Amino acid sequence: MIAGFFPDYMEPSAEEFPLAALSFIYRREYCLGHRDFLGSLMGLGIERNVVGDILVAEGRCVIFLREEMSQYVQDHLQKIGHVGVKIAQGFEEPLPEIREYKEIKGVIASSRLDCLTALLCRTSREKAAAIITAGLVSVNHQEAVLVNSRIGENDIISIRGYGKFRIDSFGPLTGKGRLTVKCRKYQ
């Protein structure tokens, strides 16, 4: 990621923070992702600290990178994986969304961490408790140690090896008194 920090009294200028945007256009039927673009850039010998955001949408991608690498990428990159691409300087508004989510809905016994982990990992509560005690789960970017800790709406759960999830809502209760939950998995 590339970030620039300037004091309040200073107006950032392009000379002080030289970034370029490249737009990649490809056929919509190909499902290219962030990894595909980053992997192709790394294959050119470009280091990660030269590349900023990679915004992927259906049929197009916008990549921000250091200005001095822009022409090099245009000259040497014709394919992403096995898919041919056209590269142009700049980008068209609106930019592709940064985050994509997969919706997950389910029914759990309560809002305890072990119940949610079991739902998100598609495993038993016993195995979910083992995942938590092994230190593989964090809640709101803090390592979780208690299997019975309560989770609230808008909490973020990261499970190493399974992904990162945002809890959207709990409820209503089912006829048997169980709790419905809606959440999203970061893609």
Side-chain angles (χ1 to χ4, degrees):
M1 177 191 289
I2 300 174
F5 299 94
F6 297 91
D8 291 340
Y9 61 84
M10 187 177 180
E11 187 67 32
S13 69
E15 297 83 38
E16 294 163 350
F17 200 66
L19 285 181
L22 293 178
S23 292
F24 294 75
I25 308 298
Y26 55 95
R27 292 174 54 182
R28 291 179 180 264
E29 54 267 11
Y30 292 109
C31 295
L32 295 177
H34 184 280
R35 286 182 180 183
D36 300 312
F37 286 94
L38 183 59
S40 294
L41 292 171
M42 298 290 154
L44 290 177
I46 296 174
E47 295 183 12
R48 181 62 176 115
N49 62 0
V50 174
V51 181
D53 284 335
I54 300 173
L55 308 174
V56 182
E58 195 174 274
R60 86 177 174 127
C61 174
V62 177
I63 298 178
F64 294 91
L65 67 159
R66 303 261 318 243
E67 190 174 49
E68 65 267 15
M69 295 305 295
S70 175
Q71 192 60 48
Y72 178 78
V73 170
Q74 288 182 29
D75 292 343
H76 293 89
L77 194 61
Q78 290 87 30
K79 290 186 174 187
I80 303 297
H82 67 280
V83 179
V85 295
K86 292 180 183 177
I87 305 173
Q89 288 247 318
F91 61 90
E92 292 181 16
E93 295 282 348
L95 285 170
E97 291 288 320
I98 291 178
R99 293 272 183 228
E100 289 186 21
Y101 302 96
K102 176 184 175 188
E103 284 196 32
I104 299 174
K105 296 177 184 178
V107 178
I108 55 178
S110 71
S111 62
R112 289 174 34 138
L113 180 58
D114 60 340
C115 294
L116 276 162
T117 302
L119 171 71
L120 300 174
C121 295
R122 300 190 186 277
T123 189
S124 68
R125 279 178 60 183
E126 183 179 324
K127 289 180 182 175
I131 292 171
I132 296 166
T133 55
L136 301 176
V137 178
S138 65
V139 178
N140 296 327
H141 313 291
Q142 301 275 329
E143 184 179 328
V145 291
L146 300 174
V147 297
N148 62 352
S149 59
R150 295 286 173 188
I151 302 300
E153 292 181 354
N154 296 318
D155 281 351
I156 295 174
I157 301 175
S158 297
I159 307 169
R160 202 170 306 145
Y162 293 93
K164 184 175 175 181
F165 308 86
R166 175 180 291 276
I167 307 304
D168 288 329
S169 65
F170 290 109
L173 293 176
T174 65
K176 293 185 178 182
R178 294 174 54 93
L179 187 62
T180 59
V181 62
K182 292 180 184 176
C183 54
R184 294 177 283 173
K185 179 179 182 179
Y186 289 78
Q187 296 290 61

